[in-house]
Amino acid sequence: MTMFDLSARMKNIQPSVTFGLNAKANELRSQGIDVINLAIGEPDFDTPEWIQDAAINAIKGGITRYTPSDGFPDLKKAIQTKMTRDYKLDYDLDMITAGAGSKQILFNALLASINPGDEVIIPAPYWGSYPEIVRFCEGVPVIVPCSPQNDFKITANQLDGYITDRTRWIILNSPNNPTGAYYSGENLKKLSSVLMEYNKVNILTDDIYENLIYDDEKFINILQVEPRLKFRTLIINGVSKSYAMTGWRLGFGVGPKNLIQGIKLLSSQSTSNACSISQAAAIAALTGPQDFLEDWKKSYQERRDASFELINSIPHLSCIMPKGAFFHYVNCAKLIYSKTQNGNYLKTEDDIVSYLLTKAKVMVVGGASFGLSPFFRISYASSMDNVKTGCKRISKAISNLIVN
């Protein structure tokens, strides 16, 4: 049988590792296997009731038809209000667009702005979709390795050294997936000083974890530090992480008018618009009560602290304390070339990840997916019981290895 030929551009993109792992975890559970999934970055809270009610009322009220491709005007006004309330930044409505998740906004933004050969600077560790989307758009991802000694953050010197005449974008993600790294005002001031010297380099700032910052730190966007970067900065955000709405698929972008219009044009010829019901729910999320976010953050911080202690008590594993998001990036270098009781060597971090799934029945994500090895990512967005039990299972499985 002849195989169907895909386009050449499909060779430049790889499947999402985390979505694949989540599907694998669900498959194992369907077989009756007790797997703890610490791979997926998804809140375990339910979407707040008043947001659910807004969606139900939208359905009952007949808000089930096409919307403008860039979102309802009321949604864009809610985003506009949020930007003023939380960032102290003012945007006209034609500088705002909504889409089917922040990933779609990111995809369309890069597709609308990258020419073949354009470079995009991506600090590593990074969210796995960044380089894949750049490659799909025929751009060149320029990966900048960021060391744990600098809390996995790009420095001003590194940024300056990686900028070329082909550089189109730098992507900043704070708090960061997968490390939880947080860029302070001082960090951003140093980076912005470099960026002010290169007026053709644009900034894409992914703020999806903005409400998940711990230890009394406050979220800071680079435009709050250097407002003169406004007209070459795209802010991407959404309701998935903050409001436990991952499945609702509602993200938004705020930035230069012509770029926003390009994103809107692509949406009009692809998805048409984000789900009308999700848009109604997002309006409720952005304009409704926000005080519950502190309670959720407290719960995440408790899980972070408990899992941090447990991980660092496991021989041969270590991690640094994340400042935000809901991930630990665990250093497993000391386990490379360790030997199982069956005499098999764990030669790579992927071997370690596979071993933990097989022996501990715990699913984590290998660091190669995030551009920096040898590490693996653990999510503490699961329940406290799952987080603690998962870490204890990992500890027991590792205690059975023969480590040089």
Side-chain angles (χ1 to χ4, degrees):
M1 184 172 64
T2 304
M3 293 290 289
F4 186 87
D5 289 331
L6 297 176
S7 67
R9 72 176 64 88
M10 292 302 295
K11 297 177 182 178
N12 293 330
I13 194 166
Q14 299 296 317
S16 167
V17 172
T18 50
F19 273 83
L21 288 170
N22 197 45
K24 179 66 174 177
N26 290 334
E27 177 187 347
L28 292 171
R29 285 171 177 160
S30 71
Q31 298 170 10
I33 300 172
D34 177 24
V35 174
I36 294 179
N37 186 358
L38 300 182
I40 196 73
E42 181 172 52
D44 66 325
F45 297 106
D46 290 329
T47 304
E49 187 174 357
W50 65 90
I51 300 175
Q52 297 180 37
D53 290 341
I56 293 167
N57 291 335
I59 295 170
K60 291 181 176 180
I63 304 176
T64 55
R65 294 176 172 80
Y66 291 126
T67 81
S69 61
D70 56 346
F72 282 128
D74 283 352
L75 174 58
K76 294 173 66 175
K77 289 176 183 176
I79 296 166
Q80 182 185 52
T81 299
K82 173 203 163 39
M83 298 304 297
T84 304
R85 178 189 70 208
D86 297 343
Y87 289 38
K88 304 297 187 289
L89 296 173
D90 295 324
Y91 287 91
D92 296 331
L93 292 183
D94 58 4
M95 301 174 76
I96 299 169
T97 188
S102 59
K103 186 183 288 187
Q104 189 208 8
I105 302 295
L106 171 70
F107 191 101
N108 285 357
L110 295 180
L111 195 60
S113 62
I114 291 179
N115 292 311
D118 283 350
E119 296 176 352
V120 179
I121 293 175
I122 305 174
Y126 48 70
W127 179 48
S129 291
Y130 294 147
E132 299 302 327
I133 294 173
V134 171
R135 291 188 188 100
F136 186 85
C137 297
E138 300 183 79
V140 179
V142 177
I143 308 303
V144 182
C146 302
S147 73
Q149 288 72 31
N150 196 50
D151 293 336
F152 299 110
K153 293 179 287 192
I154 189 172
T155 67
N157 286 338
Q158 282 181 305
L159 174 59
D160 193 37
Y162 276 85
I163 292 175
T164 72
D165 58 3
R166 300 292 299 176
T167 304
R168 180 70 168 162
W169 289 96
I170 176 175
I171 298 179
L172 294 175
N173 175 212
S174 173
N176 173 265
N177 173 9
T179 67
Y182 158 75
Y183 284 82
S184 67
E186 182 181 355
N187 297 144
L188 294 172
K189 185 64 177 177
K190 291 177 180 178
L191 294 177
S192 64
S193 295
V194 174
L195 291 165
M196 288 299 295
E197 299 296 319
Y198 298 93
N199 59 15
K200 292 186 178 180
V201 178
N202 302 299
I203 304 96
L204 192 157
T205 172
D206 183 347
D207 297 354
I208 196 69
Y209 294 99
E210 64 166 331
N211 286 310
L212 296 173
I213 298 178
Y214 312 116
D215 306 320
D216 297 322
E217 298 283 0
K218 299 296 182 183
F219 175 78
I220 300 175
N221 181 277
I222 195 168
L223 294 183
Q224 295 170 280
V225 172
E226 181 47 84
R228 290 177 294 177
L229 292 172
K230 180 177 181 180
F231 293 101
R232 50 192 176 102
T233 297
L234 174 66
I235 298 172
I236 290 180
N237 209 327
V239 296
S240 292
K241 310 298 183 178
S242 293
Y243 301 96
M245 296 174 68
T246 53
W248 296 77
R249 307 315 304 135
L250 198 292
F252 56 86
V254 181
K257 185 182 302 185
N258 60 333
L259 175 60
I260 295 300
Q261 295 309 305
I263 295 170
K264 176 182 177 180
L265 177 60
L266 286 171
S267 295
S268 74
Q269 294 292 3
S270 55
T271 55
S272 294
N273 57 265
C275 171
S276 60
I277 301 156
S278 294
Q279 290 188 53
I283 293 171
L286 295 172
T287 61
Q290 306 293 308
D291 53 338
F292 74 97
L293 294 172
E294 285 298 317
D295 294 332
W296 284 12
K297 185 167 70 172
K298 180 180 178 181
S299 178
Y300 285 129
Q301 183 164 330
E302 289 171 351
R303 301 177 207 180
R304 179 201 66 166
D305 294 347
S307 51
F308 175 80
E309 294 296 331
L310 286 168
I311 291 166
N312 282 290
S313 71
I314 300 172
H316 317 299
L317 293 183
S318 63
C319 64
I320 62 176
M321 180 69 85
K323 284 290 187 181
F326 36 54
F327 307 107
H328 291 295
Y329 207 53
V330 182
N331 189 325
C332 57
K334 293 179 180 179
L335 294 181
I336 301 295
Y337 279 98
S338 59
K339 188 166 65 174
T340 70
Q341 291 183 331
N342 294 331
N344 298 319
Y345 284 93
L346 305 181
K347 298 178 182 179
T348 67
E349 66 192 24
D350 286 340
D351 291 338
I352 295 169
V353 169
S354 179
Y355 173 78
L356 293 178
L357 177 59
T358 303
K359 296 299 181 182
K361 300 297 187 292
V362 177
M363 187 164 286
V364 298
V365 191
S369 304
F370 308 109
L372 192 67
S373 301
F375 294 84
F376 60 81
R377 189 191 77 175
I378 285 179
S379 169
Y380 51 87
S382 190
S383 69
M384 181 69 89
D385 284 344
N386 277 349
V387 169
K388 286 184 175 181
T389 302
C391 289
K392 290 174 183 177
R393 288 187 185 183
I394 290 172
S395 179
K396 183 177 180 180
I398 289 176
S399 71
N400 290 323
L401 292 172
I402 300 170
V403 183
N404 294 330

